[in-house]
């Protein structure tokens, strides 16, 4: 308490000193107004001068104090601070003129008033500006400049200019020394006192010739392809690279040094990361009992996180492995949510366990993420892949219908299109099972979401030419949740993910992001394609059978014959049950149920 009181006294004393200086300068301005117009002695207007010299500065100081002028740190002031000062000064002068016209305080000749107005503005404004300049030329700062990192800012627009000024006002490690901008009209000109040295075409040459230590990318509106182009030009140079977040991340916030961060993988995507506004569609989750299968996995745990943000009444987190569910609950403890999350350890293919769960919990919304996803491993275990991916889907879907769940959203994969692997074929079969259950239980809305996911940094690459669609897990989960709102039952949703990414290039970028050089510091080993893999994946069987939705990045295809493969085998359930009882015939029966499956 004593320290607080001492600090308050120091601050109050500083404010009083500044207010006193303002009073003296404004009184001097009034004197100059009278003296320049009427003579230095001012014999005829001595009484008027004295009244104005006391009343006008007093009114200005009072208004300045009321509107927080003496709380501004002028060493770090920006345009908005000087604009506020100007308006408060003009307001104070107008207020004095109004009071003087009503109370007849003194005679104030118009010429004297004009001189006093501009003199006061120059003196008080100059005082504030001198504090800003003194900070920039302070000997202490000059000595610090030698230790600061010479910094190049890419983007001489509004964001870059704000950033440069913020850097120059503080004593941080970065010293701005120039701009790069692709607008040729800016080259050779000055922005925020710094020279625009050229365009990104000459970026590497400029960085090397000028010995820059740090490059800041200050183009919040830039697309991922542009950021990637810049990053690739700089990655071979010994410079630090930092970036301002996108306009979406900056929305509602200011542009400052504190917003700078390292380049992340999503900044380098050839497409913009998909951002889906979930708020309008969350009514179907709000105050509902939600079951999430595979909740301990990377996708399932992210579904738990995003569903929690949308106010369900309770969540049932189902997983087969106890460790993954335990770790999920540990993470959720840090969130400190009041929404109950119930752990459920069970196998989705265990009909007794799933039936008991639906009887006791009565979930209203189901997100089905449980599946075997590892392509090479499933090539050696077709029965297990069918048991979990197909029997598990059928079990959960049937119980959802029997116990009147409102919606069930299943996670599918791009590997389900013209599948070349057992995993892909079982996921395609799971899509067909979902359509079948939709016919059996029309009151429950079943839907599937098909996408490709990559998360993590591969150091081994199966084939140099391998391509994959790339989507971050939070993006994918947003799509899954959105699909739950868009679907009316029986839909298969697909995201427009742009062009597929060459995995080799992504591996190289990931290594560079970690500060290493590919093939030198960290080698990339090409292992050859693994069992069940193909060079590229697809998202549709027939692009002409795909319709748009309310969201420009989400498309929908009805799971029907002629649109998504062959007509569903009427003996699907019988064949599936037989395949599970006869492991030696599982693979041949899977091919019968999914005729489009072509084993490689």
């Amino acid at each position: 308490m004593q320290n607080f009181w001492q600090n308050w006294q120091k601050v109050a004393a500083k404010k009083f000193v500044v207010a006193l200086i303002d009073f003296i300068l404004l009184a001097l301005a009034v004197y100059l107004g009278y003296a320049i117009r009427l003579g230095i002695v001012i014999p005829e207007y001595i009484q008027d001068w004295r009244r104005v010299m006391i009343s006008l500065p007093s009114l200005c100081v009072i208004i300045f104090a009321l509107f927080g002028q003496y709380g501004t740190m002028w060493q770090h002031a920006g345009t908005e601070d000087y604009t506020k000062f100007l308006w408060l000064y003009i307001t104070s002068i107008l207020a004095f003129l109004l009071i003087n016209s009503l109370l007849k305080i003194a005679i104030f000749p118009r010429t004297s008033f004009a001189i006093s107005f501009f003199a006061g503005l120059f003196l008080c404004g100059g005082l504030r500006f001198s504090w800003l300049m003194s900070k920039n030329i302070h000997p202490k700062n000059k000595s610090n400049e030698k230790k600061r990192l010479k910094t190049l800012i890419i983007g001489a627009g509004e964001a870059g200019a704000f950033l440069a000024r913020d850097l120059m006002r503080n004593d941080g490690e970065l010293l701005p020394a120039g701009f790069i901008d692709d607008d040729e009209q800016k080259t050779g000109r000055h922005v925020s006192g710094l020279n625009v040295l050229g365009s990104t075409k000459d970026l590497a040459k400029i960085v090397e010739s000028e010995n820059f230590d740090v490059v800041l990318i200050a183009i919040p509106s830039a697309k991922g392809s542009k950021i990637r182009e810049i990053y690739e030009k700089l990655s071979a140079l010994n410079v630090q690279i930092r970036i301002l977040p996108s306009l979406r991340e900056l929305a509602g916030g200011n542009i400052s040094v504190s917003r700078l961060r390292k380049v992340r993988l999503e900044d380098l995507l050839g497409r913009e990361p998909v951002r889906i506004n979930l708020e309008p569609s969350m009514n179907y989750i709000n105050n509902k009992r939600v079951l999430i299968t595979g909740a301990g996995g990377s996708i399932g745990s992210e579904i738990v996180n995003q569903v929690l943000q949308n106010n369900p009444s309770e969540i049932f987190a189902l997983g087969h492995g106890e460790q993954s569910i335990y770790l999920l609950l540990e993470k959720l403890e840090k969130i400190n949510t009041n929404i109950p999350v119930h752990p459920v350890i069970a196998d989705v293919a265990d009909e007794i366990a799933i039936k008991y769960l639906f009887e006791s919990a009565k979930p209203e919304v189901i997100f089905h993420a449980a599946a075997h996803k590892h392509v090479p491993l499933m090539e050696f275990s077709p029965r297990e892949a069918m048991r979990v991916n197909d029997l598990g889907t059928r079990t959960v879907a049937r119980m959802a219908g029997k116990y009147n769940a409102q919606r069930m959203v299943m996670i599918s994969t791009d590997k389900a299109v013209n599948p070349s692997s057992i995993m892909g074929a079982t996921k395609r079969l799971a899509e067909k099972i979902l359509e079948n259950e939709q016919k059996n239980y029309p009151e429950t809305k079943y839907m599937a979401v098909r996408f490709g996911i990559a998360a993590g940094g591969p150091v081994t690459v199966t084939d140099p030419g391998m391509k994959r669609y790339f989507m971050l897990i939070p993006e994918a989960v947003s799509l899954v949740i959105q699909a739950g709102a868009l679907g009316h039952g029986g839909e298969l949703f697909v995201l427009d993910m742009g062009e597929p990414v060459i995995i080799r290039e992504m591996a190289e970028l990931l290594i560079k992001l970690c500060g290493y050089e590919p093939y030198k510091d960290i080698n990339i080993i090409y292992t050859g394609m693994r069992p069940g893999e193909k060079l590229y994946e697809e998202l549709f069987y027939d692009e002409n059978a795909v319709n748009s939705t309310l969201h420009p990045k989400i498309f929908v295809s009805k799971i029907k014959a002629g649109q998504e493969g062959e007509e569903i085998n009427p003996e699907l359930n019988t064949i599936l049950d037989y395949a599970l009882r006869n492991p030696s015939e599982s693979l041949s029966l899977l091919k019968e149920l999914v005729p489009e499956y072509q084993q490689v």
Side-chain angles (χ1 to χ4, degrees), residues 428-501:
R428 177 67 188 119
L429 180 54
E431 293 174 354
K432 294 181 178 184
I433 288 171
L434 212 61
E435 181 194 351
N436 211 41
E437 297 307 319
Q438 180 68 77
K439 294 174 184 176
N440 296 331
Y441 302 100
E443 297 302 315
T444 298
K445 297 176 181 178
Y446 297 90
M447 58 214 73
V449 184
R450 185 187 285 167
F451 49 73
I453 297 176
V459 181
T460 59
V461 175
T462 55
D463 189 282
M466 183 169 283
K467 292 183 179 181
R468 289 292 181 268
Y469 289 103
F470 187 95
M471 192 194 306
L472 302 174
I473 287 175
E475 295 179 292
V477 168
S478 295
L479 172 62
V480 171
I481 295 176
Q482 184 76 7
L486 294 175
H488 299 287
E491 295 92 349
L492 192 154
F493 291 97
V494 184
L495 176 66
D496 174 11
M497 294 186 289
E499 293 300 316
V501 176

Side-chain angles (χ1 to χ4, degrees), residues 281-497:
S281 60
M282 286 304 95
N283 288 336
Y284 83 97
I285 288 178
N286 185 44
N287 205 32
K288 297 293 193 302
R289 297 181 299 277
V290 179
L291 168 63
I292 299 165
T293 72
S298 54
I299 296 174
S301 60
E302 180 62 24
I303 294 176
V304 172
N305 289 334
Q306 292 197 24
V307 168
L308 273 173
Q309 297 170 26
N310 293 283
N311 199 36
S313 62
E314 52 189 329
I315 291 177
F316 298 89
L318 185 150
H320 193 207
E322 61 177 14
Q323 181 67 9
S324 62
I325 297 298
Y326 175 77
L327 293 175
L328 171 67
L329 295 177
E330 267 196 336
K331 291 178 183 177
L332 294 180
E333 284 180 4
K334 299 175 183 177
I335 299 176
N336 195 26
T337 177
N338 294 323
I339 298 169
V341 178
H342 308 290
V344 180
I345 307 301
D347 186 335
V348 288
D350 183 344
E351 185 174 353
I352 295 174
I354 300 303
K355 181 180 180 182
Y356 175 74
L357 172 62
F358 273 82
E359 284 178 346
S360 56
K362 293 183 172 55
E364 298 165 278
V365 178
I366 299 103
F367 292 100
H368 181 47
H372 282 319
K373 305 178 184 72
H374 199 285
V375 171
L377 288 182
M378 291 305 102
E379 290 300 298
F380 302 101
S381 305
R383 180 190 179 277
E384 178 62 15
M386 293 178 73
R387 192 188 69 82
V388 173
N389 294 356
D390 299 322
L391 178 60
T393 297
R394 190 182 73 179
T395 301
V396 174
R398 280 185 177 177
M399 294 305 162
K402 284 183 178 179
Y403 290 91
N404 303 312
Q406 296 173 5
R407 296 170 191 259
M408 175 177 170
V409 184
M410 185 191 79
I411 311 296
S412 189
T413 171
D414 52 3
K415 292 176 175 60
V417 182
N418 292 318
S420 62
S421 65
I422 288 172
M423 191 282 276
T426 57
K427 292 302 284 185
R428 177 67 188 119
L429 180 54
E431 293 174 354
K432 294 181 178 184
I433 288 171
L434 212 61
E435 181 194 351
N436 211 41
E437 297 307 319
Q438 180 68 77
K439 294 174 184 176
N440 296 331
Y441 302 100
E443 297 302 315
T444 298
K445 297 176 181 178
Y446 297 90
M447 58 214 73
V449 184
R450 185 187 285 167
F451 49 73
I453 297 176
V459 181
T460 59
V461 175
T462 55
D463 189 282
M466 183 169 283
K467 292 183 179 181
R468 289 292 181 268
Y469 289 103
F470 187 95
M471 192 194 306
L472 302 174
I473 287 175
E475 295 179 292
V477 168
S478 295
L479 172 62
V480 171
I481 295 176
Q482 184 76 7
L486 294 175
H488 299 287
E491 295 92 349
L492 192 154
F493 291 97
V494 184
L495 176 66
D496 174 11
M497 294 186 289

Side-chain angles (χ1 to χ4, degrees), residues 112-235:
S112 296
F113 166 75
I115 294 171
S116 297
F117 174 83
F118 288 108
L121 181 62
F122 175 78
L123 292 170
C124 291
L127 172 68
R128 284 152 174 77
F129 186 70
S130 67
W131 285 324
L132 175 62
M133 294 304 297
S134 67
K135 177 185 180 298
N136 290 331
I137 62 174
H138 196 281
K140 174 185 170 184
N141 293 332
K142 281 292 183 181
S143 63
N144 282 347
E145 282 184 8
K146 295 178 183 179
K147 302 175 185 177
R148 298 173 74 184
L149 301 175
K150 190 175 181 181
T151 301
L152 175 68
I153 301 175
I154 300 178
E158 186 175 351
F162 268 111
L163 183 59
R165 287 196 290 270
D166 198 43
L167 286 167
M168 288 187 281
R169 289 179 198 135
N170 68 67
D171 295 324
E173 62 173 344
L174 305 181
L175 178 65
F179 280 103
I180 285 284
D181 199 284
D182 283 339
D183 184 351
E184 294 181 358
Q185 295 183 358
K186 293 180 181 178
T187 301
R189 303 183 71 178
H190 289 78
V191 175
S192 296
L194 302 177
N195 192 23
V196 180
L197 302 172
S199 69
T200 53
K201 290 186 295 185
D202 307 313
L203 179 58
K205 187 194 306 180
I206 291 170
V207 169
E208 287 187 302
S209 62
E210 298 292 332
N211 295 315
F212 284 103
D213 302 302
V214 180
V215 175
L216 307 181
I217 303 174
I219 321 173
S221 61
K223 294 184 178 179
S225 55
K226 183 63 177 179
I227 302 299
R228 184 170 176 174
E229 176 191 329
I230 293 170
Y231 187 83
E232 288 176 343
K233 288 180 179 179
L234 295 171
S235 59

Side-chain angles (χ1 to χ4, degrees), residues 349 351 383 386-387 390-392 394-395 398 429 433 437 571-583 585-586 589-590 593:
E351 185 174 353
R383 180 190 179 277
M386 293 178 73
R387 192 188 69 82
D390 299 322
L391 178 60
R394 190 182 73 179
T395 301
R398 280 185 177 177
L429 180 54
I433 288 171
E437 297 307 319
E571 301 298 321
L572 184 153
N573 289 311
T574 302
I575 297 173
L576 175 60
D577 291 336
Y578 182 81
L580 294 172
R581 290 195 302 270
N582 298 273
E585 299 183 49
S586 294
L589 293 171
L590 177 62
L593 292 171

Side-chain angles (χ1 to χ4, degrees), residues 68-100:
Q69 275 290 287
Y70 300 120
T72 302
M73 296 183 67
W74 291 100
Q75 296 92 329
H76 304 284
T79 306
E80 62 281 359
D81 296 303
Y82 286 99
T83 302
K84 182 179 179 182
F85 161 74
L86 177 62
W87 282 112
L88 288 176
Y89 179 71
I90 292 173
T91 301
S92 302
I93 299 300
L94 293 176
F96 171 79
L97 290 177
L98 178 63
I99 293 171
N100 190 46

